[in-house]
Amino acid sequence: MPSRKLESLAAGRTGSLRLLRLLLVVSVALPLVLFAGIGWREHRDSWAEVERNSRKTALLLHEHVLKVFDTMAMTLDRVDERTRGMGWPEIAGSEPLHRYLKTLNEDLNQIGVLAVTDPQGLIRNASNVFPARNAYIGGRAYFRTQQEADAGLLIGESMVSKATGRRSFSLSRRRTATGGPDGAFDGIIHATVDPDYFASFYHRVLADRGEAVTLVRGDGQVLVRYPMIRDENQALTLPPNRGLLLAIQTRPDEGVFLNTSYNDGAERFYAYKKVGDFPVYVVYAVDASLVAGMWWRNMALDAAFVAPATLALALIAWLAYARARSEAQTLRLWAEEVRNRQRLEEALRQSQKMEALGQLTGGVAHDFNNLLTAALTNLHLLGRHLPEEAKRFLNGANTALERAEKLTRQLLSFSRQDAINPAVVDLGDSLHRMGDLLERSIRADIALEWDVAPVPLPIAVDTVQLELATLNLVLNARDAMPGGGRIRLSVRPSPVAGHARLEVADTGTGMPPEVQARAFDPFFTTKGVGKGTGLGLSMVYGFARQSGGNATIESRPGEGTRVRIDLPLSPEAPAAPPPALSERPAEAPKPLRVLVVEDNALVLMATVEGLTQEGFIVETADHGVAALEVLEQDQAFDIVVSDVVMPHGVSGIDLARRIKERWPHLRVLLASGYSPESLATMGADTAAVLAKPFRPDQLAARIRSIVASPAPTSPKAAAVRSER
Ligand code: ADP
Ligand code: MG
């Protein structure tokens, strides 16, 4: 059988399937992992690049601001030079000075207004108008700072310009005092810075949306902001201890940081640089979302290359896997098929073996029954002629014969040729009824437990055989528990649809598989000589099969045994329990006339003798043909008792049929070792049947009961099953 090879092949397939599955997973997972790695790298690189660019941009912007401031400082110096030694009335009245200031202003785009202010805070000459309007700036912070002490070149606060009405800031210096550095304060020169100048410059330099530049004083005051935000009339101061002000605490010259904007809450990346020696920082910011966007674009580009390759790879792996799987599946199914066929063949062989054994044992038992009938009858007759003291020898012989009878019954039961008398009974009831018998057959160290389902389970069986089968099972259980234990008898609906289940479970030794395989075989026993016949379980099996059911064993060494009998449920309700034996029919006023047909001389002789003793008038015939000849002459018989198997072509069954046709009023009783069912299949459904072996008194009782019953009106009324 190629089954083993198939199975190893299938196992190999399973192994390569696992490999393919792994390949499939790897073909998807590996590119994903690589892609994630690339993504991480890109992310890192993007940020590094942003930092580099931001620092560079901040540096450029710083250079620009520094240049602006330097130029303005130079301009202020030149104005100081120009006005050196001039008194205030002269300054205020000098139109050339105004023109000079105006020219300087026009040369430098970044300057809004250039002005000279006296120590009292009045603007005495300015680049925008002449004569100056004497506007007062004495209250402003930068003026007061310069008034208090020489602050050098001072970057003023952000404020709304008196001259232009716009927000701006100024650069200022003291006029050089007439008395040298320690001379008295003699006014200031200052220039306001035009914010538009920076705005337009930044607009030209910065291309992207999402970029911003801020000019911030070290104290957090915002001087210029591009793009412009909010109400420009509001002075803007950065919150302390975060963002820029936090960053410059540790790195006062330049640096980068990530922060959420004080302005719109967006996350931004900042790079800052201090403008020369001025307490001013130029801060460049770029939106983090811009960086993320860039990263996504890069990743999308990478994915466009990686994804198709990955997909193709995965598809190929999947195809290979799917194909291998379907092949493995087919192989598995095939192997299964082969296994199933082997099981079936095994079962067939077993049932053929049982069938052959059944035929053999049936044949042997059948012949034995004839001999037993003759012996029993002769002993019965002998008994009448023996003195009382010799009767015990007779009893001994009778006991031996009864045992022999039981043995042949079991044999026949296995071969399913036993004459059975089925009746519909409730399985639970009939089991309860044998409680006493079962209790008596076990030992004191064994407990018998009952588990009977409280539902009606009507079955059509021969109750005698049911009892025998149950008894056999209980005895086997007892024998399997030499040290005591429990036997559990359970009755319940079977898992097999339409069946009732009787189960006998014990806590005994159990059976190894090789014993279990043969336990149902007739004559198979593991018990010592004289202890076991090997017919117990074979009878159980025969009974179950003959009743249309089945018997199975579940057992393992050391774990006890369960034997189950499944019996088909009967559609009929159980008959009422048989009433106490009805009084014997009154002795017939005239003796009954019987025609006995039997080819076995021994049996014939014994039967005739027995019936005569019982008070019958007996005629005989050697075979069917002879019987028909007798009946042609004389039909005045009450009954014809016939053997079944006879020579000369007319069997008991043929005889019964012919009698039925020609002399319908005549009764026929067939005596046979075959079961009524097997006789029925031969066409004997018109006659009553008595199982061999029998004693003369049993035969007589049966004859009387048949004759006493009403004459048959239809063939069915005399059918085998209705005879009880
Ligand atoms: P016998 O009882 O005469 O040996 P059976 O046909 O009843 O014959 O049983 C056949 C064999 O099956 C027994 O010899 C025994 O080995 C085994 N067997 C039957 N019933 C049981 C049981 N309940 N526990 C263990 N073994 C059992
Ligand atoms: Mg037994």
Side-chain angles (χ1 to χ4, degrees), residues 15 78 181 220 225 235 256 275 327 339 452 466-467 578 670 688 714:
R78 282 172 71 182
R225 174 78 167 75
V256 290
V275 182
E327 270 172 16
R339 254 199 314 279
V452 178
L466 174 64
E467 282 179 14
L670 297 179
S714 76

Side-chain angles (χ1 to χ4, degrees), residues 426-429 431-432 449-459 488-505 550 562-569:
D426 183 80
L427 180 56
D429 279 356
L431 223 66
H432 271 312
E449 294 172 3
W450 294 81
D451 173 19
V452 178
V455 289
L457 294 168
I459 48 168
R488 188 180 182 78
L489 274 168
S490 75
V491 171
R492 49 189 60 255
S494 168
V496 182
H499 285 66
R501 171 167 287 183
L502 163 63
E503 183 180 283
V504 179
N550 198 9
R562 293 156 178 263
V563 184
R564 303 181 177 123
I565 306 181
D566 286 329
L567 295 166
L569 287 169

Side-chain angles (χ1 to χ4, degrees), residues 96-108 114 127:
L97 179 60
H98 162 68
R99 269 202 306 280
Y100 180 70
L101 293 179
K102 193 172 175 183
T103 317
L104 285 178
N105 190 353
E106 279 164 3
D107 284 349
L108 296 172
L114 197 56
S127 61

Side-chain angles (χ1 to χ4, degrees), residues 629-652:
E629 277 165 12
V630 173
L631 286 172
E632 284 294 340
Q633 311 296 321
D634 173 12
Q635 302 99 43
F637 290 100
D638 292 293
I639 193 164
V640 178
V641 177
S642 171
D643 187 18
V644 175
V645 184
M646 289 182 297
H648 304 299
V650 178
S651 70

Side-chain angles (χ1 to χ4, degrees), residues 699-718:
L699 176 60
R702 188 69 193 270
I703 291 174
R704 287 198 188 96
S705 92
I706 291 174
V707 173
S709 67
T713 48
S714 76
K716 275 285 160 207

Side-chain angles (χ1 to χ4, degrees), residues 476-477 480 506 509-511 515 519 524-527 532-537 561:
N476 277 350
D506 63 54
T509 54
M511 298 180 227
V515 170
F524 174 79
T525 177
T526 58
K527 297 169 189 173
T533 58
L535 286 174
L537 283 180
T561 302

